Amino acid sequence: MEKVIWLSECSESNEVPVTAIIAIKNQEISIAQNKVEQTKFVWEHAEYVAVKCACEKLNTKYLDMASIYVNLEPCEFCSALLSAVRIKNIFFGAYNSRGGGIIHNARIFDKTTRQPFIIGGIQETRCSKLLSSFFKKIRK
């Protein structure tokens, strides 16, 4: 999770500082940050970009041996995507009570038969501060 936070802190764009890493057996397959503002596509969340890159790199449609590390609870869209690609493990930092789709709101994995291993709240304070400071800065 250290790397996820570091990458997000280094973001120089006006993107929400979310970073996702896909790994298999501790080997990074893809690393991505949000690209919504850059591409003007609302689905270009860090998780989506990381999954797309990993699937292309591995030439597969499923990531059933992979883990995703992200500094914010994935939204409903990204949670559904992670379910569709059969991700094995999900590790995230800050909880997202407004837009999260795993622990909050739609609770995507409560409705699926395939259940990934999920741990939330990893370095939660640090991840939350990173996101809060970003939103404070853009609201000024």
Side-chain angles (χ1 to χ4, degrees):
M1 199 59 164
E2 264 324 290
K3 188 171 281 187
V4 173
I5 293 167
W6 180 82
L7 285 169
S8 296
E9 288 173 344
C10 292
S11 178
E12 296 179 12
S13 69
N14 59 346
E15 300 285 354
V16 176
V18 176
T19 302
I21 297 173
I22 304 280
I24 297 176
K25 295 182 181 176
N26 294 323
Q27 180 182 355
E28 294 173 4
I29 305 300
S30 64
I31 301 173
Q33 290 185 292
N34 278 356
K35 292 186 175 183
V36 174
E37 299 302 323
Q38 177 186 338
T39 63
K40 304 299 184 225
F41 294 123
V42 296
W43 59 83
E44 291 278 329
H45 292 189
E47 299 94 329
Y48 169 85
V49 177
V51 164
K52 183 178 177 195
C53 180
C55 287
E56 288 172 354
K57 188 173 186 178
L58 299 170
N59 193 31
T60 186
K61 61 184 177 181
Y62 299 119
L63 297 173
D64 53 356
M65 295 303 293
S67 299
I68 188 165
Y69 301 84
V70 61
N71 58 330
L72 179 64
E73 176 185 353
C75 70
E76 294 170 350
F77 168 78
C78 292
S79 297
L81 170 68
L82 295 173
S83 176
V85 299
R86 303 177 182 173
I87 199 85
K88 183 177 181 179
N89 303 302
I90 302 171
F91 303 101
F92 67 88
Y95 290 92
N96 185 355
S97 62
R98 289 186 184 171
I102 295 177
I103 306 300
H104 297 93
N105 305 308
R107 299 179 60 96
I108 296 295
F109 295 102
D110 287 357
K111 301 168 179 72
T112 62
T113 55
R114 189 177 308 273
Q115 297 292 317
F117 178 73
I118 301 168
I119 296 181
I122 300 169
Q123 295 188 15
E124 180 181 3
T125 302
R126 190 170 178 188
C127 293
S128 294
K129 284 181 182 178
L130 169 71
L131 293 156
S132 296
S133 65
F134 169 79
F135 286 112
K136 283 179 188 173
K137 187 168 54 173
I138 66 167
R139 289 184 182 126
K140 286 185 178 183

